[in-house]
């Protein structure tokens, strides 16, 4: 799947250990801006310069939001203009966001 650097919102002593985390992304999905159809149909996480790159299956929620399923993780996004077309619902997309807009929040199961 891959790796990327993100802002850790947990206890500093827990860095470097395995955790369940919630992803928070403070950028909205803008079609043909930071979001495009993916050329590959497999989940991925990576970095490109100062950006975090997510590849996953997009689900439009119908209430102005979207879920991006990356492997077993769902990341909630708001939609910006222009929003993804209805035909993109359920398709593989790539979302590129600035690294400083991504946070990880650890939680216990």
């Amino acid at each position: 799947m891959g790796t990327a650097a993100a802002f850790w919102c947990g206890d500093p002593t827990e860095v470097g250990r395995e955790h369940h985390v919630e992803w928070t992304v403070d950028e909205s999905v803008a079609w043909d801006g930071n979001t495009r159809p993916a050329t590959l149909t497999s989940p991925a996480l990576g970095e490109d310069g100062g950006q975090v790159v997510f590849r996953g299956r997009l689900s439009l929620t119908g209430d102005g939001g979207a879920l991006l399923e990356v492997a077993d993780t769902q990341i909630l996004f708001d939609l910006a203009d222009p929003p993804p077309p209805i035909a993109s619902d359920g398709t593989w997309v790539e979302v590129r966001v600035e690294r400083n807009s991504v946070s990880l929040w650890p939680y216990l199961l």
Side-chain angles (χ1 to χ4, degrees):
M1 174 141 119
T3 61
F7 183 71
W8 178 255
C9 298
D11 186 334
T13 61
E14 296 177 348
V15 172
R17 297 176 39 205
E18 188 171 315
H19 297 279
H20 295 280
V21 297
E22 178 178 319
W23 291 83
T24 301
V25 181
D26 294 329
E27 285 191 43
S28 299
V29 165
W31 196 252
D32 284 336
N34 66 353
T35 306
R36 299 199 167 155
T39 56
L40 299 173
T41 57
S42 60
L45 169 68
E47 291 184 67
D48 185 11
Q51 294 183 319
V52 175
V53 182
F54 300 96
R55 186 172 62 231
R57 193 178 299 267
L58 184 69
S59 295
L60 303 176
T61 63
D63 62 354
L67 283 173
L68 185 67
E69 185 176 340
V70 181
D72 293 330
T73 299
Q74 293 183 340
I75 305 168
L76 183 61
F77 285 90
D78 290 324
L79 298 180
D81 285 328
I86 298 299
S88 68
D89 189 34
T91 65
W92 288 88
V93 300
E94 184 175 279
V95 180
R96 294 173 170 267
V97 297
E98 295 301 315
R99 181 181 303 137
N100 63 1
S101 73
V102 180
S103 303
L104 297 173
W105 297 83
Y107 65 90
L108 298 174
L109 290 179

